[in-house]
Amino acid sequence: MIIVLKSGATEEDIQKVVDKLKEYNYGAHISRGENKVVIGAIGEKRMEEKILIMEQISSFPFVEQVIPILTPYKLVKKEFNPQGTRIKVNQVEIGNEEIVVMAGPCAVESREQLREIAGFVKEVGAKVLRGGVFKPRTSPYSFQGLGIEGLKLLYEVKNEFDIPVITEVMDPRDLDIVAEYVDIIQIGARNMQNFTLLKEVGKLRKPVLLKRGLSATLEEFLFAAEYILLGGNSEVILCERGIRTFSDFSRNTLDLSIIPALKEKTHLPVFVDPSHGTGNYRYVPSMAKAAIAAGADGLIIEVHPHPERALSDGPQSLTFSDFRRLMNELKAIASAVGRRL
């Protein structure tokens, strides 16, 4: 159930609700908004017990509303945080009216490459630098990333250019060291249902960008996010990156229709990855603009100074001139839908 406290409820009031929930072996997840506090009660009870608990909690004078949850996912549900989740990463806030763009190479290749890209993407308005160091490649013969060396380069460039960084983690054993070096953890599409990894990420107090699996339904996507929130980490960004269909003209089918559905059902910020969603740099700008028009809170885009030399995903990477043009065009789209870039 969701318990909404009245404006002005004190910490003592909050504790009274938590204590009452504990009497019935319910877990309590507290979300503090600008004006109100919302408490999510997690637990399985028979209907008659649930009604009794709801009646008792409703009797508190500082409780405004108690809402039963009928959907199988509870913490990602819109009602848990009606105002929407906002995630602060250094000076960047994700989930407000500003569109946040994350940009950079698919793979970190060298210090020189990363410095060149970081300086450029920040100059034209990107707020976060992306760069892969552990690369989940379809072929075992493809470039697998620089690993720990790449993490150190990301950290070095992050400090030099004062820009937050995001990278993907695939193995729970790498989580601690990755968390030391980067600001946002990315869970890739192939690991969306790696439940061991999701549980471990849930223990972190660091933002997570969770990509939709290649064939995941909306409910499966939200359940994956629920794993992370249930572990105590509420800073989750959902990312649509394309699903596998019978389409043969693009790498994946970018399902932009999921954006309004996610915005309707969940309080979490929603991003789109048009690079992986299309697999072709020619289509990336159009789909990026369409994503913002559809309500996305941000984008994650691959950029490389020389895509023809890239060690990973060159065909879907934008050149510097293409990315600069796109960022200028996105400003007009954002303004048209009441947002800003």
Side-chain angles (χ1 to χ4, degrees):
M1 71 189 79
I2 299 292
I3 302 151
V4 183
L5 304 190
K6 293 178 181 177
S7 179
T10 66
E11 290 298 321
E12 183 180 352
D13 295 335
I14 296 171
Q15 191 59 48
K16 286 180 180 177
V17 175
V18 172
D19 290 342
K20 174 60 70 173
L21 293 173
K22 285 182 179 178
E23 285 182 26
Y24 292 94
N25 296 318
Y26 269 87
H29 291 260
I30 302 170
S31 176
R32 290 176 167 83
E34 292 181 8
N35 301 311
K36 295 181 181 179
V37 173
V38 176
I39 301 175
I42 309 300
E44 296 298 329
K45 296 289 180 183
R46 296 193 309 274
M47 182 55 67
E48 58 269 24
E49 287 183 295
K50 189 176 295 186
I51 292 172
L52 174 62
I53 299 165
M54 290 176 62
E55 288 177 346
Q56 291 181 355
I57 291 177
S58 296
S59 68
F60 286 131
F62 47 81
V63 171
E64 180 176 294
Q65 191 178 13
V66 180
I67 307 166
I69 298 176
L70 300 178
T71 54
Y73 41 85
K74 300 172 174 63
L75 299 178
V76 302
K77 188 176 172 65
K78 184 81 170 181
E79 287 79 2
F80 186 71
N81 187 2
Q83 298 177 13
T85 291
R86 294 187 178 185
I87 298 171
K88 196 79 175 289
V89 185
N90 297 351
Q91 301 306 309
V92 179
E93 188 171 70
I94 296 168
N96 62 15
E97 68 276 4
E98 183 177 13
I99 304 297
V100 173
V101 177
M102 304 178 182
C106 176
V108 174
E109 300 169 7
S110 68
R111 176 179 290 102
E112 293 72 23
Q113 172 239 26
L114 196 59
R115 290 186 71 255
E116 182 180 6
I117 296 173
F120 172 75
V121 298
K122 182 177 180 179
E123 174 197 336
V124 299
K127 295 295 194 299
V128 178
L129 175 67
R130 63 145 294 152
V133 298
F134 300 106
K135 299 303 301 176
R137 306 302 299 278
T138 301
S139 169
Y141 303 109
S142 299
F143 178 60
Q144 304 291 309
L146 295 180
I148 303 301
E149 179 188 348
L151 276 179
K152 293 177 179 178
L153 291 177
L154 273 176
Y155 186 74
E156 178 184 317
V157 171
K158 157 193 163 174
N159 290 322
E160 178 180 356
F161 290 91
D162 190 26
I163 184 171
V165 295
I166 176 173
T167 198
E168 180 174 354
V169 65
M170 299 188 297
D171 192 325
R173 293 171 295 184
D174 296 324
L175 262 180
D176 287 343
I177 191 165
V178 171
E180 283 184 32
Y181 286 100
V182 306
D183 302 285
I184 306 173
I185 301 287
Q186 177 182 310
I187 303 296
R190 293 174 176 85
N191 278 303
M192 189 206 80
Q193 290 185 309
N194 182 342
F195 301 119
T196 300
L197 180 59
L198 297 180
K199 289 177 182 177
E200 291 302 312
V201 169
K203 299 174 184 177
L204 295 177
R205 295 300 174 265
K206 191 173 285 285
V208 178
L209 184 138
L210 176 68
K211 287 194 171 184
R212 182 185 181 187
L214 277 70
S215 59
T217 64
L218 182 145
E219 185 171 271
E220 289 168 342
F221 192 17
L222 293 182
F223 268 133
E226 188 87 0
Y227 266 95
I228 300 173
L229 270 70
L230 189 58
N233 187 349
S234 61
E235 298 191 322
V236 176
I237 304 161
L238 302 173
C239 184
E240 164 62 29
R241 49 79 68 205
I243 54 176
R244 179 167 291 173
T245 69
F246 52 79
S247 172
D248 60 358
F249 65 88
S250 60
R251 178 175 177 177
N252 296 291
T253 297
L254 190 59
D255 182 13
L256 295 184
S257 66
I258 202 173
I259 300 171
L262 290 171
K263 300 293 284 186
E264 178 184 57
K265 293 180 179 296
T266 179
H267 56 84
L268 300 173
V270 178
F271 272 49
V272 170
D273 178 350
S275 301
H276 285 89
T278 64
N280 189 322
Y281 75 93
R282 296 180 184 86
Y283 309 145
V284 169
S286 295
M287 300 312 290
K289 289 180 281 187
I292 299 307
D297 298 299
L299 301 164
I300 180 166
I301 299 174
E302 294 187 355
V303 177
H304 199 288
H306 306 287
E308 71 280 2
R309 301 182 206 162
L311 298 181
S312 176
D313 285 347
Q316 65 191 37
S317 299
L318 297 184
T319 62
F320 282 8
S321 59
D322 286 341
F323 185 66
R324 185 188 295 275
R325 186 181 309 112
L326 173 59
M327 290 295 285
N328 288 330
E329 293 170 347
L330 286 174
K331 291 175 184 176
I333 303 296
S335 177
V337 295
R339 309 287 289 271
R340 71 177 192 274
L341 189 66

